[in-house]
Amino acid sequence: MNKSSFRTFFSYAAVAGALALLAGGAIAQDSGPATQTQGTNTRTLVGPAIGFIDSPNGYCYQPDQYQDACYINWNPITVDAAPNYMIYLTVQLDGRMVAKVNGFFQTSITIPGTMNGQGFKVKCGALGASGDPEFGKAYPYTIRAKDSNGLTSANYGTATCPAYLGSGGRGG
């Protein structure tokens, strides 16, 4: 890699990182630094993993206040790995995998909220279950992606649900 392409790589990395942060996404590197060898010279490159994962905060809603059934969703989740191909994008909710989308010779994956139907069903929880006296249970989530070059990226967050107030509306 010559000086010009090395500079271009880091310029692209800085722009991709800035775009991810402006779009509300987060970048987390799960992979270590890349090493490049040319002849007898070895260079370690540190840059972003996948370009970015753009995922607005997960939201939780309760369609019927008299049922302890809430739904968590995102709209949309997008990951871009150009020029590499996407291998997969996964969503974990409260420590368990709830979705996996595989890429097929594509440089990005977008999952619209409607692809998940109403969302992923969870219990709403009683008032204060999240530690906030105004809300129900809180669910941590992790969105991960991997590209064809073995690079990975992840977003983390928590979706807090409305409280289930019971059939009489006075609490469960």
Side-chain angles (χ1 to χ4, degrees):
M1 181 181 282
N2 62 33
K3 281 185 182 180
S4 176
S5 59
F6 189 75
R7 232 176 290 140
T8 302
F9 169 78
F10 277 98
S11 295
Y12 173 77
V15 169
L19 287 174
L21 293 175
L22 286 173
I27 296 176
Q29 286 186 323
D30 289 341
S31 59
T35 302
Q36 177 190 25
T37 303
Q38 186 175 15
T40 58
N41 298 323
T42 301
R43 183 182 318 186
T44 301
L45 306 173
V46 179
I50 291 176
F52 67 90
I53 296 177
D54 180 16
S55 60
N57 290 335
Y59 60 92
C60 184
Y61 68 98
Q62 181 183 32
D64 182 349
Q65 67 180 349
Y66 299 113
Q67 293 186 22
D68 191 12
C70 284
Y71 296 87
I72 296 176
N73 210 348
W74 298 260
N75 192 26
I77 298 172
T78 302
V79 63
D80 184 352
N84 300 329
Y85 294 120
M86 289 304 310
I87 300 298
Y88 65 77
L89 183 139
T90 63
V91 178
Q92 284 187 321
L93 186 57
D94 203 25
R96 63 184 173 90
M97 176 121 30
V98 294
K100 182 174 183 180
V101 176
N102 292 316
F104 186 75
F105 297 105
Q106 60 200 61
T107 58
S108 65
I109 294 175
T110 298
I111 303 173
T114 55
M115 187 171 169
N116 302 323
Q118 285 185 287
F120 301 101
K121 187 176 179 179
V122 295
K123 290 196 173 285
C124 299
L127 275 172
S130 64
D132 184 327
E134 300 290 316
F135 291 93
K137 192 167 178 188
Y139 292 90
Y141 61 84
T142 304
I143 300 169
R144 294 186 189 279
K146 183 176 181 179
D147 75 8
S148 59
N149 207 23
L151 300 174
T152 60
S153 189
N155 272 7
Y156 304 90
T158 301
T160 304
C161 294
Y164 168 58
L165 300 176
S167 59
R170 294 178 303 278

